[in-house]
Amino acid sequence: MRRLFLLLIASFLASGAAHADRLDDIKQAGVLRVAAFDSNPPFGFVDPDSKQIVGLDVDYAKVLADKLGVKLELRPTNPANRIPLLTSGKVDLVLANFTITEERAKQLDFSIPYFSSGQQFLAKKGTLTSPDQLNGLRIGADKGTTNEIVLRRDFPKAVVVAFDDTPFAFTALRNGNVQAITQDGPKLVGLLANVPDRENYEIPPFTISDDYIGVGIPKGEKRLADVVNETLLELEASGKAAAIYDAWFGPNTKQPLPRLFKIGDKK
Amino acid sequence: MNFSVISDNLDYLLVGAWPNGPVGGLALTLVLSALSAVASGLVGLVLGIGLAMSAGWPKRLLVVVLGFFRAIPVIMLIFWTYFLLPILFGFSVPEIGTVVVALSLIGGAYLSYAVAAGIESIAAGQWEAGFALGLGRWRVLRLIVLPQALHAMAPSFVNQWTSLVKDTSLAYVIGVPELSFVAAQVNNRAMVYPTEVFLFVGVVYWCLCVSLDRFATALANRRGAAAEGAG
Amino acid sequence: MGVFGEPMALRYLIWLLEGFAVTLLLSAAVSVAATGLGIAVCGLKLSGRRPLVILADTYVSIIRNTPLLVQLFFWYFGASALMPSGLMTWLNTPHVLDAVLVSLHWPAFETIAGFFGLTLYAGAYIAEEFRAGINGVDPAQRESAMALGLRPALVFWLVVLPQAVRIAWLPVVGQYLNTIKNTSLTMAIGLAELSYASRQVETETFLTFQAFGIATILYVAAVAVTEAAGHAVARSGRFAWATQRP
């Protein structure tokens, strides 16, 4: 109770401070600008029929825009452009399978996690069974991801070849230019589900890190962050978060994955 | 080879998400090319005249600035104008503007040398004739020298514009949905047809650049013939 | 401070310098190979044999009228999908070429594709510059040399070529400068050159301004030094002597 009271006081003081912050800007413009992936099903990808960007991240973005009562405007991004887009003020939020790290938290603020995953690998069947084999392999990663950094730090003998986006790395794998590619597990599952000759590939059952995915928010935008966090918690409480998850990873989808993480499990 | 990946996505490659979203694909490439062509032509003309008509330290300063824009890779300049200008100076250029600004600065820097060379190629006698008529320096330039010089510069302009059409593909790095970017999206979604996708995109650019070249040559020839006929 | 942040650690500066070294080596290798290719293609164009001329014209037209980025995507992602998997495996396996004095490490496929794509690109432009150089030689000179009784081949080598090289030299240097800048596009196919390194440093440190600022300065410096060297060669006594107009 006391914490809630303090929170109320704090938010009152913050809103009382007369300067317009990003939340006011968004409401005044009537538009929430969100960076989302355009080539990473099921998080963010261009729907072949509607030509619009859709996906799990996009569903969350829509809810946030509705909550703010404004129009949603999506900007396509690749992994490397996420932070520059946010720090240069080109977008208000990033919802693009964005892993929360301490380093990144110095540049921007994160919401509470709304998704969790671990860094995994995709390789041709039978080529990769344990992490020990990673040293000495040529491994495709995405520029500007934590996957790239973790791999370089923990497996210094692996040759990391970084591409603009995961499907490019996959093409390099398919052509034999790299022997494995690395990404968050759910993203690889989503990718593999869309590969025509998926029977030739596998995702070996080991992870080399645990990642929590959050919404990227411009540094110091406290009120905006509060709205985002509140909305995420409401989504979990109302069961809508589970519904969004099921729409993309549920048993009837191309990439069924059990939902082990709930919003609010980790602050 | 399986070109159904092209036919299935043809409308997306040609116009992007339009009419349910912003114009993209080939149509956006055309828009970017046209805007950059006009802007680079103006930049080239103004700076080229500056280069030909100035002397001393203003000229040296201009040479250094032009040298910078001729030396920086297009990708780097696009990064600077897109991500770094807003942080550094607090104003933000929209994506399409960024590409047009970057391409016209670089294209203009190249063109300004062609413009200056064109002006300098006009014989001194032409200037003197103009002065003898009692015209000032700028009026001689505008009425006598430039019309002749522009004819000599025309091939440089066409070459530079062909380069511009090709360089619009670099808008890919900041997510502007022009032809190369939507092609990369289609390639990423289909995943197993990179040969077909990039071959098709190459053919489209080729048609675009070659027809621009043919059109400009035809235009120049007609003008040339008309000028000769009149003379 | 401010937007620039604290100075980057030495380790990241070394990454940038390594990337710069790759840019310089790649540019040099491409310039040499593209000059050879350009001369050969120019030779085809001047051969007067129709099939050869058509071949050369087609090559130049395809390369000059499509974006380099699309070409690089095609060579790296597209063409390697067409190659037999045995060849791809061989190309991707590290080989060591043991010569007597040096042992060369087989480059990664990114490097091979980047080198190949950039060389084909620059070669088409250099071929056109050489052809313009040869066309720029006053036909009267050729005729007067022939009148002296020299054989056509000798006239070409002694009279036309030296002047053509002189005319073409600075435009060809311009193509070398373009090559330095164009290497930046190979970052899209995973080649660890300067632009790639600057993005990598940015990923790890978020020192966006420093990473791109240093990369920009290095590019501009490389282009400026190469251009100055090209002009110095053009002015040097030996070059002028070799190409002096009679």
Side-chain angles (χ1 to χ4, degrees):
Chain A
M1 197 60 216
R2 187 156 161 243
R3 254 173 79 193
L4 188 69
F5 179 72
L6 282 175
L7 200 73
L8 276 173
I9 295 278
S11 58
F12 177 76
L13 284 176
S15 60
H19 76 277
D21 64 0
R22 186 63 74 90
L23 186 61
D24 294 327
D25 293 345
I26 293 167
K27 283 187 170 157
Q28 202 182 352
V31 176
L32 177 69
R33 299 165 306 160
V34 173
F37 281 149
D38 60 351
S39 289
N40 293 294
F43 292 96
F45 63 101
V46 179
D47 177 58
D49 299 324
S50 71
K51 318 272 185 277
Q52 306 295 317
I53 299 181
V54 296
L56 179 132
D57 285 333
V58 177
D59 285 352
Y60 277 106
K62 275 181 192 149
V63 172
L64 288 168
D66 288 347
K67 171 87 179 179
L68 293 168
V70 295
K71 215 175 125 250
L72 177 64
E73 191 179 293
L74 292 170
R75 296 278 166 100
T77 184
N78 59 24
N81 285 351
R82 288 175 297 191
I83 294 172
L85 276 171
L86 199 62
T87 50
S88 64
K90 299 278 182 192
V91 298
D92 305 309
L93 298 173
V94 173
L95 282 97
N97 198 34
F98 208 4
T99 305
I100 301 170
T101 68
E102 264 177 54
E103 292 301 312
R104 282 178 178 163
K106 289 177 192 157
Q107 307 297 314
L108 50 105
D109 291 338
F110 280 105
S111 70
I112 55 172
Y114 65 92
F115 198 88
S116 102
S117 58
Q119 179 169 352
Q120 288 189 272
F121 294 83
L122 177 72
K124 289 204 173 128
K125 266 200 180 131
T127 51
L128 182 63
T129 48
S130 88
D132 309 332
Q133 290 168 287
L134 293 172
N135 275 318
L137 287 187
R138 282 167 58 80
I139 300 169
D142 297 356
K143 283 190 196 109
T145 57
T146 53
N147 313 123
E148 185 194 358
I149 298 174
V150 168
L151 195 61
R152 223 184 284 129
R153 188 190 62 207
D154 296 348
F155 300 90
K157 294 235 174 70
V159 180
V160 182
V161 185
F163 296 94
D164 287 334
D165 220 328
T166 324
F168 280 118
F170 175 73
T171 308
L173 170 71
R174 202 162 182 275
N175 293 347
N177 299 323
V178 294
Q179 282 111 39
I181 65 174
T182 184
Q183 248 300 340
D184 291 343
K187 214 171 133 179
L188 290 178
V189 171
L191 179 130
L192 193 55
N194 290 291
V195 173
D197 55 345
R198 65 184 75 87
E199 64 280 1
N200 300 327
Y201 302 90
E202 65 181 349
I203 299 168
F206 65 85
T207 58
I208 61 167
S209 76
D210 289 322
D211 296 329
Y212 291 98
I213 307 299
V215 180
I217 303 164
K219 191 96 198 137
E221 296 293 344
K222 179 88 178 53
R223 288 176 59 221
L224 181 58
D226 288 344
V227 173
V228 171
N229 285 337
E230 263 169 45
T231 313
L232 289 175
L233 288 172
E234 281 170 22
L235 279 176
E236 187 62 59
S238 69
K240 183 113 195 272
I244 292 177
Y245 185 92
D246 276 350
W248 302 104
F249 285 105
N252 300 324
T253 59
K254 280 203 242 174
Q255 53 270 320
L257 269 185
R259 186 167 192 248
L260 302 175
F261 174 84
K262 289 192 174 52
I263 298 173
D265 284 357
K266 193 174 157 70
K267 296 284 166 188
Chain B
M1 290 274 185
N2 179 351
F3 281 96
S4 64
V5 63
I6 304 298
S7 49
D8 291 349
N9 293 292
L10 196 60
D11 52 343
Y12 192 58
L13 290 167
L14 294 182
V15 294
W18 190 82
N20 302 317
V23 169
L26 178 63
L28 186 58
T29 294
L30 290 172
V31 170
L32 287 175
S33 303
L35 290 175
S36 313
V38 172
S40 70
L42 288 176
V43 170
L45 206 56
V46 170
L47 296 184
I49 290 172
L51 207 55
M53 305 290 278
S54 64
W57 68 263
K59 180 166 179 152
R60 254 171 278 151
L61 183 72
L62 195 54
V63 168
V64 170
V65 171
L66 291 177
F68 174 78
F69 286 115
R70 280 155 37 114
I72 187 172
V74 183
I75 289 198
M76 281 282 154
L77 190 61
I78 289 180
F79 275 134
W80 279 103
T81 42
Y82 190 60
F83 290 129
L84 305 180
L85 274 189
I87 308 177
L88 213 51
F89 297 114
F91 68 85
S92 180
V93 190
E95 281 126 347
I96 293 178
T98 306
V99 180
V100 173
V101 166
L103 291 184
S104 45
L105 283 176
I106 288 177
Y110 278 95
L111 281 178
S112 60
Y113 276 84
V115 170
I119 293 173
E120 280 151 13
S121 74
I122 302 301
Q126 302 273 340
W127 285 94
E128 280 151 24
F131 293 141
L133 289 173
L135 299 174
R137 204 161 155 250
W138 292 102
R139 293 196 69 191
V140 176
L141 177 75
R142 189 163 60 85
L143 298 175
I144 300 175
V145 175
L146 264 189
Q148 301 179 59
L150 280 177
H151 195 71
M153 296 167 209
S156 308
F157 273 76
V158 176
N159 272 340
Q160 197 55 50
W161 285 339
T162 314
S163 291
L164 278 179
V165 173
K166 295 194 290 168
D167 283 349
T168 56
S169 64
L170 301 182
Y172 157 85
V173 296
I174 53 166
V176 173
E178 44 69 55
L179 180 58
S180 300
F181 184 81
V182 296
Q185 278 184 340
V186 168
N187 173 61
N188 286 345
R189 190 171 58 219
M191 279 192 292
V192 294
Y193 305 110
T195 322
E196 289 85 346
V197 171
F198 293 120
L199 202 60
F200 171 79
V201 175
V203 169
V204 173
Y205 277 108
W206 186 85
C207 293
L208 207 57
C209 293
V210 168
S211 38
L212 174 68
D213 192 61
R214 296 268 156 88
F215 176 73
T217 312
L219 204 67
N221 286 345
R222 233 178 61 194
R223 281 275 175 84
E228 270 167 36
Chain C
M1 295 305 278
V3 289
F4 289 95
E6 54 201 68
M8 69 170 64
L10 186 64
R11 172 168 117 84
Y12 299 115
L13 201 59
I14 290 172
W15 284 12
L16 288 176
L17 291 177
E18 280 173 356
F20 187 48
V22 172
T23 293
L24 292 182
L25 282 175
L26 184 66
S27 306
V30 167
S31 295
V32 171
T35 305
L37 179 65
I39 291 172
V41 172
C42 181
L44 290 184
K45 283 205 168 196
L46 297 172
S47 69
R49 294 195 183 171
R50 223 176 124 67
L52 297 184
V53 175
I54 291 176
L55 180 73
D57 283 344
T58 311
Y59 154 71
V60 170
S61 173
I62 290 173
I63 295 293
R64 288 178 59 121
N65 290 304
T66 53
L68 177 58
L69 182 71
V70 174
Q71 291 178 28
L72 288 173
F73 277 154
F74 181 79
W75 297 126
Y76 186 77
F77 294 114
S80 60
L82 291 182
M83 284 194 240
S85 71
L87 178 64
M88 280 315 296
T89 316
W90 187 83
L91 281 173
N92 281 300
T93 325
H95 302 277
V96 177
L97 306 173
D98 270 315
V100 183
L101 287 171
V102 285
S103 85
L104 285 173
H105 286 274
W106 186 251
F109 186 70
E110 294 80 55
T111 318
I112 301 171
F115 170 78
F116 182 76
L118 287 170
T119 301
L120 279 185
Y121 193 78
Y125 282 86
I126 291 176
E128 290 293 277
E129 304 294 7
F130 277 128
R131 202 175 61 127
I134 288 169
N135 288 343
V137 177
D138 188 350
Q141 300 215 4
R142 187 193 296 247
E143 283 152 23
S144 51
M146 301 273 261
L148 288 173
L150 292 175
R151 294 220 316 272
L154 215 54
V155 172
F156 183 78
W157 282 107
L158 292 179
V159 180
V160 178
L161 196 62
Q163 296 186 67
V165 168
R166 186 189 189 181
I167 298 170
W169 174 248
L170 285 179
V172 169
V173 170
Q175 296 307 329
Y176 296 158
L177 305 182
N178 284 340
T179 297
I180 296 175
K181 293 185 282 173
N182 287 341
T183 54
S184 61
L185 299 193
T186 59
M187 79 166 186
I189 57 168
L191 206 161
E193 46 65 66
L194 182 54
S195 299
Y196 178 99
S198 65
R199 278 241 112 159
Q200 216 167 43
V201 169
E202 193 227 342
T203 298
E204 295 229 356
T205 63
F206 306 107
L207 298 170
T208 318
F209 280 91
Q210 285 181 47
F212 287 114
I214 292 172
T216 302
I217 290 167
L218 290 175
Y219 276 116
V220 172
V223 168
V225 168
T226 312
E227 190 172 22
H231 279 276
V233 169
R235 275 194 307 268
S236 73
R238 198 148 166 236
F239 193 87
W241 173 80
T243 57
Q244 214 161 37
R245 282 163 184 275

